[in-house]
Amino acid sequence: ADRNQTTNNIFEMARIAAMILTIQFSCVLLLLAASTVQPFQSVKIKPSPSRHEVTLSYSSNSDPIAVSSSPTLSSAASSVSTEDLDNQIDTYADPNDKRYSASDWAHNMLSLPYSTILREIRGPVGWITAWSTFVSLAYKMCQWNGMQSLAHKMCLGPTPHSLIASSIGLLLVFRTNSAYQRFTEGRKTWEQILNTCRDITRMTSVYEHNVGLKRKQRIQRLLAAFPYMLQHHIQPRCLDHSQCKELERSPHALVLNEPRSISISHIVKKRGGARECWVDKRALPWCLLPDPVLSKLGESHNRPLWVTDRLSLEITEIKYDDNFTSRERLELLKHTNTLSKCIGHCERIHQTAVPLNYARHALRSLTLWSFTLPFGLVDKLGLLTGPSVGIVAWLMYGVYEIGHRIEDPFQGSLRLTDLCNGIYRDVMFGDRNQAGMRRQSAFRKDFEKESDWDRVGAAFGVSRAEKEIQGVRNLKFYPMKHINN
């Protein structure tokens, strides 16, 4: 009997080994077939003749990168003109705006090893997979050694985890939905900032004669600097140690007093209970403002609010006349108040996290459920319990990590730099190419005549309208009794 039991165990192990080899061989064939798929394509953009050519290519990871020969902002001169900045801030076709469809399955599967979500959850997924594999091996060893009672006690059955799965799903769904609402609210806030800056620029351009050219330029520069100041307020970006050493004795260095500690990778020095953050005056948005203004701005702890206060001062100094009255001034001040409210909205989203008790309870429940899951599947799956539970853990922890990522949309989910560059281009009339396609041309009627519009109307609109009117006149109307007859 013992000899027959040993023979059966050898055959069982041989069968399992053959099954594992078959699965590995199938995976190799799948990878070879997927390697023939070419989802990555280079995208070329033809900018204006005064700009460098920009090529979008794909690196070894899943995220595409933009390759450009244009210089960095920090390498510009101290007195940077808007023309130079416009040439350096080009309009890239962002590949991250791609909407993935079912046809992109090969690209998504091949980029899985480079997934940032997988990189963050590799710890719990690895431990759960290893633990599940250990449980399945222990279960098989008990069966091979004749300890059937112990192997039977290791099996919980699928019922307990099926009952708890719905509660775990509700916890994850509620967390993800609340995080996505915060993400959407953050995007709407920045959309409101963009629209408000465009409206203020439009009004100052329409009333340029009343506002004054110099004051209009100051308002434009303050508006262009506002989104960058707000981004720095909720997402501080300071120079590192090597860059600070280069600018330590340079007049281009600007020291900002931060009310809170910054990331350890940045240069941080304590002075008077505050924190110092070093930036380059030649970079945006600091290059838009003069040194006296920068010195006051650097001492402020809420720089976007300081910019809105200065905008209000510039607006209140505009003198009344027949064309610019208190109604126009109040409208501009109303737009400035909208920018101030947007600061509060961003601070509320950034400073208010999901309740700690809820986050801890959800993570603890998911961990206990995942570590006990192999006891409910080991009698059905055997040695495949480890990979199966690992895939389930990847799915569940991936959903949890996505909710954690988009909980604060200003820490990477929203591309704030692209939004700031877009506001800068619209406010500073940044589309300055040789064709003259800039927003400022809408407020100028140079080389335009009234007769030009008349010729367009005669060719397309007026003549057609006249024909329609003439056709209506030619219609004959009959009394209702004739129609009834």
Side-chain angles (χ1 to χ4, degrees):
D2 295 339
R3 184 180 300 175
N4 293 334
Q5 183 68 24
T6 303
T7 304
N8 293 333
N9 293 338
I10 292 175
F11 280 123
E12 181 71 16
M13 294 178 63
R15 187 178 65 84
I16 294 173
M19 183 177 59
I20 294 176
L21 289 176
T22 304
I23 294 174
Q24 292 179 351
F25 182 71
S26 302
C27 293
V28 171
L29 291 179
L30 180 61
L31 290 177
L32 290 176
S35 62
T36 59
V37 182
Q38 297 179 358
F40 309 112
Q41 297 179 355
S42 178
V43 182
K44 285 190 176 182
I45 304 173
K46 293 183 179 180
S48 60
S50 60
R51 298 178 181 177
H52 302 279
E53 183 177 1
V54 179
T55 304
L56 296 179
S57 60
Y58 286 87
S59 60
S60 58
N61 54 14
S62 62
D63 297 329
I65 57 175
V67 181
S68 175
S69 58
S70 59
T72 58
L73 292 176
S74 59
S75 63
S78 177
S79 58
V80 182
S81 63
T82 56
E83 291 281 353
D84 298 332
L85 292 177
D86 295 337
N87 291 331
Q88 298 178 43
I89 304 178
D90 213 330
T91 306
Y92 299 111
D94 197 342
N96 294 323
D97 292 334
K98 176 179 175 57
R99 271 65 171 177
Y100 290 100
S101 62
S103 60
D104 299 321
W105 65 271
H107 165 62
N108 287 323
M109 294 304 298
L110 291 176
S111 61
L112 179 60
Y114 311 105
S115 172
T116 56
I117 298 295
L118 181 60
R119 191 180 304 117
E120 293 294 330
I121 65 175
R122 65 179 183 269
V125 172
W127 278 104
I128 291 172
T129 304
W131 168 252
S132 302
T133 304
F134 173 77
V135 171
S136 63
L137 290 175
Y139 177 79
K140 281 296 181 182
M141 291 298 295
C142 291
Q143 284 186 334
W144 293 338
N145 294 328
M147 295 182 290
Q148 299 295 335
S149 59
L150 181 59
H152 181 71
K153 292 179 180 179
M154 292 178 61
C155 302
L156 297 177
T159 304
H161 289 83
S162 300
L163 295 175
I164 303 176
S166 58
S167 302
I168 299 295
L170 287 176
L171 288 174
L172 294 178
V173 168
F174 179 78
R175 175 177 173 79
T176 306
N177 287 343
S178 61
Y180 186 75
Q181 290 178 0
R182 294 162 63 93
F183 174 83
T184 306
E185 185 178 356
R187 183 61 185 90
K188 289 181 179 179
T189 301
W190 276 84
E191 179 187 0
Q192 190 175 15
I193 294 173
L194 173 62
N195 296 333
T196 304
C197 291
R198 289 173 176 173
D199 294 340
I200 296 178
T201 308
R202 182 186 300 111
M203 290 196 66
T204 54
S205 299
V206 171
Y207 296 99
E208 180 179 349
H209 178 72
N210 309 99
V211 175
L213 181 60
K214 294 296 183 180
R215 191 184 308 278
K216 173 192 170 183
Q217 292 177 352
R218 292 197 297 268
I219 292 176
Q220 284 179 328
R221 287 178 175 269
L222 289 171
L223 285 176
F226 173 79
Y228 293 100
M229 297 295 177
L230 181 56
Q231 180 188 14
H232 184 85
H233 182 62
I234 59 181
Q235 190 184 82
R237 292 188 175 184
C238 308
L239 300 178
D240 54 20
H241 293 276
S242 60
Q243 293 173 330
C244 288
K245 289 181 180 179
E246 296 177 0
L247 295 176
E248 189 172 2
R249 298 181 181 179
S250 172
H252 307 306
L254 177 63
V255 181
L256 306 176
N257 290 328
E258 295 291 339
R260 61 188 184 279
S261 60
I262 315 172
S263 176
I264 195 172
S265 61
H266 298 143
I267 181 69
V268 179
K269 295 181 181 178
K270 204 165 187 178
R271 186 184 68 177
R275 300 281 180 170
E276 289 186 359
C277 172
W278 290 52
V279 295
D280 192 347
K281 291 182 181 180
R282 298 168 294 179
L284 281 172
W286 321 107
C287 61
L288 298 174
L289 306 175
D291 289 340
V293 176
L294 288 178
S295 61
K296 298 178 182 178
L297 191 63
E299 296 296 330
S300 176
H301 287 170
N302 195 328
R303 296 177 190 88
L305 184 61
W306 190 96
V307 172
T308 57
D309 294 340
R310 177 55 63 91
L311 276 173
S312 301
L313 179 62
E314 293 286 348
I315 293 172
T316 54
E317 290 180 351
I318 302 175
K319 297 181 179 180
Y320 290 148
D321 61 7
D322 296 337
N323 195 26
F324 190 89
T325 61
S326 59
R327 180 177 59 184
E328 286 74 21
R329 175 182 288 182
L330 291 176
E331 186 67 20
L332 288 174
L333 291 176
K334 179 181 177 181
H335 289 316
T336 307
N337 293 336
T338 302
L339 294 179
S340 179
K341 292 179 181 178
C342 290
I343 300 174
H345 293 167
C346 293
E347 290 175 344
R348 174 173 54 83
I349 296 175
H350 177 64
Q351 297 174 2
T352 306
V354 172
L356 184 61
N357 295 331
Y358 179 83
R360 284 182 174 178
H361 180 71
L363 188 58
R364 288 167 180 167
S365 302
L366 179 59
T367 303
L368 291 175
W369 184 84
S370 301
F371 272 94
T372 56
L373 182 60
F375 296 102
L377 302 177
V378 67
D379 57 336
K380 302 294 184 181
L381 300 179
L383 293 179
L384 296 178
T385 304
S388 302
V389 176
I391 294 175
V392 174
W394 168 66
L395 292 173
M396 304 294 281
Y397 279 93
V399 174
Y400 185 89
E401 181 64 23
I402 290 174
H404 174 72
R405 286 286 188 90
I406 64 178
E407 177 185 339
D408 188 357
F410 307 128
Q411 300 301 320
S413 300
L414 288 177
R415 297 187 296 276
L416 297 184
T417 302
D418 295 340
L419 296 174
C420 293
N421 292 340
I423 296 175
Y424 168 82
R425 285 190 295 266
D426 291 342
V427 169
M428 298 297 293
F429 306 134
D431 195 7
R432 301 171 185 266
N433 50 29
Q434 293 183 357
M437 295 180 62
R438 59 178 90 177
R439 185 186 176 190
Q440 189 176 7
S441 61
F443 306 102
R444 300 289 185 270
K445 292 186 176 181
D446 303 334
F447 308 107
E448 296 181 11
K449 299 178 181 179
E450 294 291 339
S451 59
D452 298 335
W453 294 90
D454 296 336
R455 285 195 297 270
V456 173
F460 299 100
V462 177
S463 60
R464 183 181 302 174
E466 291 179 352
K467 291 181 180 180
E468 293 178 356
I469 295 174
Q470 186 66 27
V472 173
R473 292 175 179 175
N474 294 334
L475 290 177
K476 295 181 179 180
F477 297 94
Y478 299 94
M480 184 63 64
K481 62 181 181 178
H482 293 285
I483 298 177
N484 295 332
N485 293 332

